[in-house]
Amino acid sequence: HLSFFTCGLHIAFLVTHLPGEVSLCGLPAEVSARSIALIGLFNIAGSLGAGALGNRMPMKYLLGAMYASRALIIAVYLVAPRTPTTFYVFSALLGLSWLATVPPTAGLVGKLFGTQHLATLFGLTLFSHQVGAFFGAWLGGVALAAAGDYRWMWYADIVLATLAALACLPIREPGYEARAAVR
């Protein structure tokens, strides 16, 4: 739930406030539109790729890597020059992990608890995503109103993405522990 909460916060913050971030950087609105379009385009590849990788490697490591990559991508963004190219590369890289967290998260819920109640259990997991989404959109506005920019929200996002990555690691994923014990 913690990792999917973070995913919701991250996604809603970006979708809601990326146009404001672009505007604060003095760039035209078309940079926002292209950036969000790139997130959507790369989201397709990321989601399909995550589904395929989830069949070949432990899903907990896949999720951990996605959340860790988000923290790293945001950290690099914060020190990069604010140009259209920066926003396009940032958006493409984030798009790769955007909803790519869904296949391994759903897969883990199914592996951990079985498929008989998968719809209900994943629904509860998605609820935590939506709670995170509320906080991402709301706190982005709070940050902007309080400080005039989103800097503290970016830092919070890095911390939460790092915690989400770490929260995935202790998951006892059925199937992979048994293989490791045999080795």
Side-chain angles (χ1 to χ4, degrees):
H1 287 288
L2 173 65
S3 65
F4 226 42
F5 171 89
T6 299
C7 183
L9 182 139
H10 174 82
I11 287 174
F13 167 62
L14 282 168
V15 154
T16 306
H17 297 286
L18 187 62
E21 177 77 2
V22 169
S23 178
L24 286 172
C25 294
L27 297 171
E30 67 190 34
V31 173
S32 299
R34 288 182 183 144
S35 295
I36 291 173
L38 284 168
I39 289 171
L41 179 65
F42 281 82
N43 176 42
I44 295 166
S47 297
L48 292 172
L53 283 173
N55 290 324
R56 293 176 174 78
M57 63 183 292
M59 292 181 213
K60 68 180 188 176
Y61 296 137
L62 182 58
L63 278 173
M66 279 190 256
Y67 290 117
S69 73
R70 287 182 184 185
L72 180 63
I73 291 164
I74 293 166
V76 170
Y77 163 75
L78 289 176
V79 298
R82 299 302 195 271
T83 66
T85 301
T86 297
F87 279 101
Y88 301 151
V89 171
F90 174 72
S91 297
L93 292 173
L94 284 178
L96 289 173
S97 74
W98 196 254
L99 289 176
T101 58
V102 174
T105 300
L108 277 172
V109 170
K111 277 184 162 185
L112 292 170
F113 303 103
T115 57
Q116 182 178 4
H117 301 291
L118 179 61
T120 300
L121 293 172
F122 189 70
L124 291 171
T125 304
L126 191 57
F127 174 74
S128 70
H129 186 276
Q130 296 310 102
V131 171
F134 162 78
F135 282 108
W138 179 59
L139 290 174
V142 169
L144 183 62
D149 64 25
Y150 298 104
R151 186 160 296 270
W152 79 262
M153 191 64 186
W154 290 117
Y155 293 140
D157 202 2
I158 290 170
V159 169
L160 286 171
T162 302
L163 290 174
L166 294 173
C168 293
L169 298 180
I171 295 171
R172 292 186 183 152
E173 187 173 340
Y176 288 98
E177 276 71 22
R179 289 183 205 165
V182 172
R183 291 181 200 167

